[in-house]
Amino acid sequence: MGIKERKIREKELRRKEILEAAGKLFSGKKGMDATMDDLAECTELGKGTLYLYFPNKESILEALAEKGINLLRKRLSRVLDDSKTGVEQISDNGDVFVTFMQEKPFYGSLILKYEKTILKAPETEEKLLMVEPVLDILGKILEKGQTDGSIRNDIGIKELVAILWSQMLGVLNTLSGRKEILEIYGVDTEWIIRGHYRVIMSGLVSEK
Amino acid sequence: MGIKERKIREKELRRKEILEAAGKLFSGKKGMDATMDDLAECTELGKGTLYLYFPNKESILEALAEKGINLLRKRLSRVLDDSKTGVEQISDNGDVFVTFMQEKPFYGSLILKYEKTILKAPETEEKLLMVEPVLDILGKILEKGQTDGSIRNDIGIKELVAILWSQMLGVLNTLSGRKEILEIYGVDTEWIIRGHYRVIMSGLVSEK
DNA sequence: GTATAAAATGACCGTTAGTCATATTTATGG
DNA sequence: CCATAAATATGACTAACGGTCATTTTATAC
């Protein structure tokens, strides 16, 4: 009785196809303002059909954001390196992040937008912050840093994670798609990133 | 011939009335999703009339954001105090900011949303970032700090302003209206603010 | 009082997310 | 192979909303 399973596979496949097309569509000319009719057209499906696979437009963008998060998580997990101190890894971590935002600005902006969204974990039904996997990595690095003494330990891990993550998003949010504004004011964007690291790095090291 | 002037006064008055009503409306139950029809109703004006005073809905929210910015600027300008070091003033500055967000969360969220908006300065037609007056204050404090030696001088003022502002907004964005999420993860919000300051403060002081 | 200008109005329009009665395709079982 | 049922797909339709404009109302001028 493999029919059920085939159906399920086909259903997942179609979902992926829709998501694929949505990725191209929403990262294209019209951006996030592309309509569901547009998506229906470029998937060659009826509009109603789309709603059999996703409850609404928002959920499609969320699903894309999740894809982006997973991409980012994979890259970040390669940063974990026991031969390095916590502080060093934080620096690497930041580099990965910035590179990711440069290479995948579309996913970047989705992450910025949906980062705070709470999803239900499949199976367990447990509520999870969308970016949880990424924060996990950051947490591990910080933990190592506090253990090896390279990172200040007067602030809890969870709080430090929230702080670093928020600051980083804040900076990236300023940088993303605002080169012109910063230029008007004669601000060197490259130096914002560098400066951010410098401040954070000096701010994170444990006090003598 | 005071009729022209009276008309102008009346026009400005009506604009202010609309803005007043909009402030109450958009900070109320429906939030920013309240409609222009709602606004027409609660101003007791026809919908078309609203468009004689504002070109579109967005511009009303922008005008409210500007009101918020001015409110914040007034508070921040009281922080300027030559008897304190730059670093000390940065700390005060942050306190004002956080208090403002707690007391005026509606204006706070508007600032978070429209902070990047560029407006034309009246008369001069010069393009200005909406938050420019606030950034000016921050810049002055940092300048003083670099002069008195309390703040690191290996990063330019403009860049430091952009960094601190972005980080601060990032943190406030995380905190604003997300107490529940942070609670799920057992994060102490009070400590996020404190921690943010600690990190920034240690990160800003000039190296020995 | 009448003509003219300014201000106000709300019915109307275009757009878009989402729905649902209907049609089409696929599976079942005799 | 056919009849029936179940699953899947469809696009015309609805509701909601931002924004427009021909028309009406009000104020000013002479």
Side-chain angles (χ1 to χ4, degrees):
Chain A
M1 191 47 124
I3 288 178
K4 266 271 165 57
E5 341 245 295
R6 198 199 72 221
K7 287 255 173 157
I8 291 176
R9 270 205 317 278
E10 281 177 355
K11 195 144 191 172
E12 270 169 15
L13 187 68
R14 177 135 290 183
R15 216 187 111 100
K16 271 186 190 166
E17 281 170 5
I18 293 174
L19 227 43
E20 184 96 9
K24 277 177 191 149
L25 178 63
F26 291 126
S27 64
K29 190 75 179 300
K30 296 194 182 181
M32 315 270 185
D33 293 339
T35 69
M36 291 300 277
D37 288 280
D38 290 336
L39 185 56
E41 177 139 356
C42 76
T43 49
E44 294 174 319
L45 292 171
K47 176 149 75 152
T49 311
L50 298 176
Y51 287 89
L52 295 176
Y53 294 89
F54 296 92
N56 50 46
K57 184 181 179 182
E58 198 77 351
S59 70
I60 294 178
L61 290 169
E62 270 176 30
L64 285 173
E66 245 191 306
K67 252 178 98 174
I69 292 282
N70 286 332
L71 222 62
L72 178 59
R73 182 186 49 71
K74 271 180 204 143
R75 293 196 186 188
L76 286 176
S77 62
R78 288 201 290 268
V79 166
L80 291 169
D81 177 352
D82 276 346
S83 72
K84 291 187 175 179
T85 67
V87 167
E88 284 166 342
Q89 287 182 71
I90 287 287
S91 172
D92 293 349
N93 189 287
D95 289 341
V96 169
F97 216 115
V98 172
T99 307
F100 180 82
M101 296 295 281
Q102 282 167 346
E103 287 177 10
K104 311 271 181 190
F106 169 60
Y107 282 121
S109 58
L110 278 179
I111 291 175
L112 284 175
K113 184 160 185 198
Y114 289 101
E115 159 262 342
K116 48 186 153 189
T117 307
I118 279 189
L119 304 172
K120 301 260 188 188
E123 313 292 326
T124 67
E125 282 291 300
E126 196 189 355
K127 277 180 167 188
L128 288 177
L129 198 54
M130 185 182 276
V131 288
E132 178 141 307
V134 169
L135 300 187
D136 267 353
I137 293 175
L138 195 50
K140 277 190 191 116
I141 296 175
L142 289 170
E143 210 162 359
K144 155 127 211 237
Q146 286 192 344
T147 308
D148 69 26
S150 64
I151 289 177
R152 68 191 305 157
N153 59 10
D154 60 337
I155 305 172
I157 295 281
K158 281 177 185 167
E159 285 75 20
L160 262 186
V161 168
I163 291 164
L164 291 190
W165 176 250
S166 306
Q167 290 174 336
M168 174 71 93
L169 288 188
V171 170
L172 290 175
N173 190 39
T174 288
L175 289 177
S176 88
R178 267 189 278 174
K179 291 238 169 199
E180 355 53 87
I181 296 183
L182 292 169
E183 263 165 27
I184 293 176
Y185 286 84
V187 177
D188 185 329
T189 56
E190 183 65 26
W191 263 97
I192 290 189
I193 293 285
R194 270 197 235 283
H196 168 69
Y197 284 141
R198 286 203 187 176
V199 172
I200 293 308
M201 287 304 165
S202 332
L204 278 183
V205 294
S206 51
E207 316 256 348
K208 288 283 164 66
Chain B
M1 192 48 124
I3 288 178
K4 265 269 165 59
E5 343 244 294
R6 197 197 74 220
K7 288 254 171 153
I8 292 176
R9 272 205 317 278
E10 280 177 358
K11 194 141 192 175
E12 269 169 16
L13 187 69
R14 177 134 290 180
R15 218 187 110 100
K16 271 186 189 164
E17 281 170 7
I18 293 174
L19 227 43
E20 185 96 8
K24 276 177 192 149
L25 177 63
F26 291 127
S27 64
K29 190 76 178 300
K30 296 194 182 181
M32 316 268 186
D33 293 339
T35 69
M36 291 300 277
D37 288 280
D38 291 336
L39 185 56
E41 177 140 356
C42 74
T43 49
E44 294 175 319
L45 293 171
K47 177 151 70 153
T49 312
L50 298 177
Y51 287 89
L52 296 177
Y53 294 89
F54 296 92
N56 50 47
K57 184 181 179 183
E58 199 76 351
S59 69
I60 295 178
L61 290 170
E62 272 176 29
L64 285 172
E66 244 191 307
K67 252 178 96 173
I69 291 282
N70 286 332
L71 222 64
L72 177 60
R73 182 186 48 73
K74 272 181 203 142
R75 293 196 186 187
L76 286 177
S77 62
R78 289 202 288 268
V79 166
L80 291 170
D81 177 352
D82 275 347
S83 71
K84 290 188 176 178
T85 67
V87 167
E88 284 166 342
Q89 287 182 70
I90 287 288
S91 172
D92 294 349
N93 189 287
D95 289 341
V96 169
F97 216 116
V98 171
T99 306
F100 180 82
M101 296 295 281
Q102 282 167 346
E103 287 177 9
K104 312 271 181 187
F106 169 60
Y107 282 121
S109 58
L110 278 180
I111 292 175
L112 285 175
K113 184 161 184 201
Y114 289 101
E115 159 262 341
K116 48 186 153 188
T117 306
I118 278 190
L119 304 172
K120 300 262 189 186
E123 313 291 327
T124 68
E125 282 292 302
E126 196 190 356
K127 278 181 167 185
L128 288 178
L129 198 55
M130 185 182 277
V131 287
E132 177 141 305
V134 168
L135 300 187
D136 267 353
I137 293 175
L138 194 51
K140 280 194 188 111
I141 297 175
L142 289 171
E143 211 161 359
K144 153 127 210 233
Q146 287 193 343
T147 307
D148 69 25
S150 63
I151 288 177
R152 66 191 305 157
N153 59 10
D154 60 337
I155 305 172
I157 295 280
K158 282 178 185 168
E159 285 74 21
L160 262 186
V161 168
I163 292 164
L164 290 191
W165 176 251
S166 306
Q167 289 174 336
M168 175 70 93
L169 287 188
V171 170
L172 290 174
N173 190 39
T174 289
L175 289 178
S176 89
R178 266 190 279 173
K179 292 238 169 199
E180 357 49 88
I181 297 182
L182 292 170
E183 263 165 26
I184 292 176
Y185 286 84
V187 177
D188 185 328
T189 57
E190 184 65 25
W191 264 98
I192 290 188
I193 294 285
R194 270 197 235 283
H196 168 69
Y197 284 141
R198 286 202 188 177
V199 172
I200 293 308
M201 288 304 164
S202 331
L204 278 183
V205 294
S206 51
E207 316 256 348
K208 287 282 163 67

